[in-house]
Amino acid sequence: LVPSNSCAVMKLLLLVLAVGGVVQLQALQVCEQQAPGTIVGSPTNCSEFYMCRSGRPVLFACPYDMYFDVDTSACGYEAFCAENDVEPDWDPSRPLGPEYPPILTGPSQLVPGSGVCRGASIGSIRLDATGCSAFYQCTKAGPLRLECPIGTLFDSNRLLCEAADLTSCAYVPVKPIAPAPSVPQLPGPSHSNNGDELAHLLDVLCYGKKNGEKQAHPIKCDQYFLCNGRNKAQVLKCPQGTAYNKKRKVCDFTYNVSC
């Protein structure tokens, strides 16, 4: 026989697990009818919101003492929270799909001194000029910097966090299209530290290529690069133990790759 206090602990544990499962299922149902990239408030926490994707939704949190405003789709100090809205008809008995649970992110950061949102409406999304790992949401309190989850980057075309190898990143300043420059020679061992020359070579190889086109790295077998349609290249690395397969245009096991 199980002691009565053990039964009570077991019941409490099952209750916690059930509530957690329902909360995560709610996240999926919130995004069920939404287009990828749509931002919606959490029905259970006023300081959180979801970015809907074709896969698992991404869960973001507003900074301390700020809440997600469902009217502006942005964090703010005065907000009409999703909890105050009409309560959806959740069905906890629905089976959980492969998207369960949502992807968690790091803390957001308010950057009031940044001019990235100058002239933009509240709730607008802006690119991060320093890289593709984050983006900005324009709020009444100023630009809010949000980090994409580990393993994802912010897609500048679809305006959402996506798997790194599927992302189109165009944060690099674009210059007017000019005649194709001459292709420099590949840097040899004595030029291994000349990163600028190699970066220039990759940009040249992207000249005239469409957005999202993959190219094999000319030197490193475990890397490839994406062209952004504006004559700029973004270098990506294959997972450990794999290399870039030029024929299949994917990262493949090293024994399948001729480099």
Side-chain angles (χ1 to χ4, degrees), residues 155-178:
D155 192 297
S156 56
N157 290 330
R158 292 177 290 169
L159 300 182
L160 53 80
C161 296
E162 185 57 277
D165 61 343
L166 301 177
T167 301
S168 173
C169 175
Y171 72 90
V172 180
V174 179
K175 297 180 180 179
I177 296 178

Side-chain angles (χ1 to χ4, degrees), residues 161-220:
C161 296
E162 185 57 277
D165 61 343
L166 301 177
T167 301
S168 173
C169 175
Y171 72 90
V172 180
V174 179
K175 297 180 180 179
I177 296 178
S182 58
V183 179
Q185 294 183 350
L186 292 177
S190 61
H191 300 86
S192 58
N193 295 326
N194 194 346
D196 292 339
E197 184 177 353
L198 179 58
H200 175 61
L201 170 63
L202 299 183
D203 290 342
V204 170
L205 294 177
C206 272
Y207 186 84
K209 298 293 190 299
K210 63 181 181 180
N211 182 29
E213 183 165 337
K214 293 182 180 180
Q215 298 284 330
H217 197 286
I219 298 177
K220 300 180 180 180

Side-chain angles (χ1 to χ4, degrees), residues 41 44 51-52 54 70 82 93 109 145 202 244 246 254:
T44 57
M51 172 181 283
C52 301
S54 56
V70 296
S93 64
Q109 180 182 6
R145 191 174 189 272
L202 299 183
Y244 187 72
K246 298 179 183 179
T254 52

Side-chain angles (χ1 to χ4, degrees), residues 4-130:
S4 58
N5 59 341
S6 298
C7 290
V9 172
M10 183 63 69
K11 290 180 180 179
L12 179 60
L13 178 60
L14 292 175
L15 177 61
V16 170
L17 293 175
V19 171
V22 170
V23 169
Q24 291 173 329
L25 177 59
Q26 288 175 351
L28 301 180
Q29 291 179 326
V30 163
C31 283
E32 192 172 44
Q33 303 297 327
Q34 303 291 346
T38 302
I39 292 179
V40 294
S42 168
T44 57
N45 191 327
C46 284
S47 64
E48 295 179 344
F49 60 95
Y50 294 96
M51 172 181 283
C52 301
R53 309 165 61 245
S54 56
R56 295 160 57 191
V58 180
L59 177 62
F60 291 97
C62 296
Y64 175 75
D65 209 24
M66 294 184 72
Y67 304 94
F68 185 79
D69 189 342
V70 296
D71 290 334
T72 61
S73 295
C75 295
Y77 291 109
E78 297 179 359
F80 181 79
C81 176
E83 288 184 8
N84 301 324
D85 210 344
V86 178
E87 184 69 19
D89 183 18
W90 306 119
D91 182 9
S93 64
R94 290 181 53 184
L96 297 175
E99 300 171 349
Y100 169 87
I103 307 175
L104 304 181
T105 61
S108 55
Q109 180 182 6
L110 196 62
V111 191
S114 172
V116 67
C117 284
R118 187 176 292 113
S121 59
I122 304 301
S124 298
I125 299 298
R126 290 292 181 265
L127 305 182
D128 183 359
T130 63

